[in-house]
Amino acid sequence: EAQREAEVHALLASWTDHLIAATLILFSASGPINRNILFGTQKNKSVLNAQDPRVKSIPIMIHRPTLHEVERVFTQLTTAEKIAPKVCEEPKPADASSEPKATAEDRQATRTQECGSSG
């Protein structure tokens, strides 16, 4: 395990310039041992600092560390999903003889109540 820790720290040290220039650093390290290897301890410092605001845990489930998994996670993190808004029809106009005309504000308020949104 000490050899693996030394390899990780050497790799991170070789990436120092890239890590300094990065605007976001995503990581996955399950468990305290792996986090200590990645971020170091008081005794063994690391290039990465867990308190750095650019450092974020990957927000999705990570499986075995394979190239396929790296590609899958990359795709998930770099893809935006468009979610269709709730479609709400314009209220049908009331019979002019039975009710007073509704203002635009009244119609908007009705849509807000019916659809649960402001427009």
Side-chain angles (χ1 to χ4, degrees), residues 3-19:
Q3 181 181 1
R4 182 174 67 141
E5 185 173 350
E7 288 174 1
V8 169
H9 286 207
L11 180 62
L12 289 174
S14 72
W15 291 351
T16 299
D17 293 339
H18 300 292
L19 292 171

Side-chain angles (χ1 to χ4, degrees), residues 1-2 4-5 8-9 28-41 44:
E1 188 161 310
R4 182 174 67 141
E5 185 173 350
V8 169
H9 286 207
S28 175
S30 59
I33 293 173
N34 290 330
R35 288 182 65 85
N36 285 343
I37 289 173
L38 189 60
F39 296 114
T41 61
N44 296 324

Side-chain angles (χ1 to χ4, degrees), residues 4 9-10 14 17 21 23-24 26 32 49 53 58 65 67-68 73-74 85-86 90 92 104 107 112 115:
R4 182 174 67 141
H9 286 207
S14 72
D17 293 339
T23 56
L24 178 65
L26 298 169
N49 179 351
I58 293 176
L67 178 59
H68 181 266
V73 170
F74 175 80
K86 183 177 180 180
E90 183 76 27
K92 294 180 180 168
R107 287 191 302 274
T112 300
C115 298

Side-chain angles (χ1 to χ4, degrees), residues 7-110:
E7 288 174 1
V8 169
H9 286 207
L11 180 62
L12 289 174
S14 72
W15 291 351
T16 299
D17 293 339
H18 300 292
L19 292 171
I20 290 170
T23 56
L24 178 65
I25 302 168
L26 298 169
F27 75 94
S28 175
S30 59
I33 293 173
N34 290 330
R35 288 182 65 85
N36 285 343
I37 289 173
L38 189 60
F39 296 114
T41 61
Q42 288 182 348
K43 190 169 62 168
N44 296 324
K45 298 291 181 193
S46 175
V47 174
L48 284 180
N49 179 351
Q51 273 63 50
D52 185 333
R54 300 172 304 148
V55 175
K56 307 276 187 215
S57 177
I58 293 176
I60 58 175
M61 174 73 102
I62 307 296
H63 304 291
R64 297 180 59 103
T66 62
L67 178 59
H68 181 266
E69 184 64 2
V70 169
E71 291 169 343
R72 184 190 73 82
V73 170
F74 175 80
T75 300
Q76 285 282 323
L77 294 175
T78 58
T79 302
E81 223 176 288
K82 181 178 179 184
I83 300 173
K86 183 177 180 180
V87 177
C88 188
E89 294 180 18
E90 183 76 27
K92 294 180 180 168
D95 184 4
S97 62
S98 65
E99 292 184 29
K101 283 193 168 183
T103 65
E105 291 81 20
D106 292 337
R107 287 191 302 274
Q108 181 61 45
T110 301

